[in-house]
Amino acid sequence: MAVIQLKGARREQKGKGWARKARAAGQIPAVIYGHGEDPQPIAVDFREFELALRGHKGSNAIVNLNVGGGEVTALVRDVQYDPLSRVIIHLDFQHISLTEQIEVEVPVHFVGTPVGVKDGGGILEHLLRTLKVKCLPTAIPAGIDVDVTALNIGQNLHVSDLQPGTGYEIITDADVAVAAVVAPAARSEEHTSELQSLA
């Protein structure tokens, strides 16, 4: 995984009033924390952040953050968006070391059409959208492919059934179900029962 170059500026001001002014000036309020250090409020240029991450696939971007002449390697831990405009309103950076393993959530990509869907008219249910993995920052996968083609109606796929990856360890509980194929009637009955419980 490539490390993205990004500039930041230290900020002393805090509060909603300052944050609004910063956003109006094209800055994103942010905080960097980790490695036993006190959280440090910073700001990054909105346009620069957008351009820097445009070519990045998946989540968990790693940045080389230049703040006040010093450089810090950090993981983009959280991106907060305005619920209406979808504009980025805040960033969380976690100070990391490229030589120390970290724990991150990565998206699950379901591959193939289950036999229970293709031949039995069943419905594939996505029970898990992300998996927690442990690895070096540079080995974070963009996503984990999960082959569901062998699933028949009434069958589940658990974390313990997944093939081990290269360079990372899946640490989500092995007993957790990732996907299931259910009969259309069973899905319909479940939906009806959900509606009745809401009535």
Side-chain angles (χ1 to χ4, degrees), residues 39-193:
Q40 178 185 336
I42 62 171
V44 297
D45 183 79
F46 177 84
R47 183 72 177 148
E48 186 181 342
F49 181 77
E50 195 177 48
L51 287 173
L53 270 76
R54 184 166 288 175
H56 178 76
K57 293 182 179 179
S59 52
N60 301 310
I62 299 173
V63 297
N64 193 26
L65 195 57
N66 188 314
V67 181
E71 293 189 342
V72 173
T73 302
L75 184 73
V76 181
R77 268 294 185 187
D78 188 42
V79 181
Q80 294 175 28
Y81 295 89
D82 182 279
L84 296 177
S85 67
R86 301 305 296 163
V87 170
I88 298 171
I89 57 174
H90 194 271
L91 298 167
D92 282 8
F93 294 100
Q94 180 186 352
H95 185 183
I96 60 171
S97 166
L98 295 180
T99 59
E100 294 177 8
Q101 290 195 330
I102 56 173
E103 296 179 5
V104 293
E105 299 271 352
V106 297
V108 173
H109 300 149
F110 293 99
V111 178
T113 303
V115 64
V117 172
K118 187 167 58 175
D119 300 335
I123 298 168
L124 175 65
E125 291 195 332
H126 300 179
L127 304 178
L128 215 59
R129 298 288 179 179
T130 62
L131 288 166
K132 184 176 280 190
V133 304
K134 186 175 183 179
C135 60
L136 289 174
T138 50
I140 299 174
I144 295 177
D145 291 337
V146 175
D147 187 351
V148 294
T149 52
L151 281 181
N152 215 325
I153 291 177
Q155 292 183 328
N156 295 340
L157 192 69
H158 294 84
V159 172
S160 57
D161 300 318
L162 304 182
Q163 294 295 319
T166 302
Y168 64 88
E169 174 192 359
I170 298 175
I171 57 175
T172 300
D173 193 321
D175 295 331
V176 173
V178 180
V181 174
V182 298
R187 185 72 184 98
S188 175
E189 287 169 11
E190 182 183 317
H191 183 62
T192 302
S193 131

Side-chain angles (χ1 to χ4, degrees), residues 5-49:
Q5 301 298 317
L6 191 65
K7 290 179 184 176
R10 298 181 191 276
R11 62 181 170 96
E12 301 302 327
Q13 307 95 326
K14 298 179 184 178
K16 292 182 179 178
W18 177 86
R20 279 194 295 269
K21 289 178 183 176
R23 293 183 196 113
Q27 298 288 307
I28 307 172
V31 64
I32 183 165
Y33 61 87
H35 261 235
E37 301 164 1
D38 290 334
Q40 178 185 336
I42 62 171
V44 297
D45 183 79
F46 177 84
R47 183 72 177 148
E48 186 181 342
F49 181 77

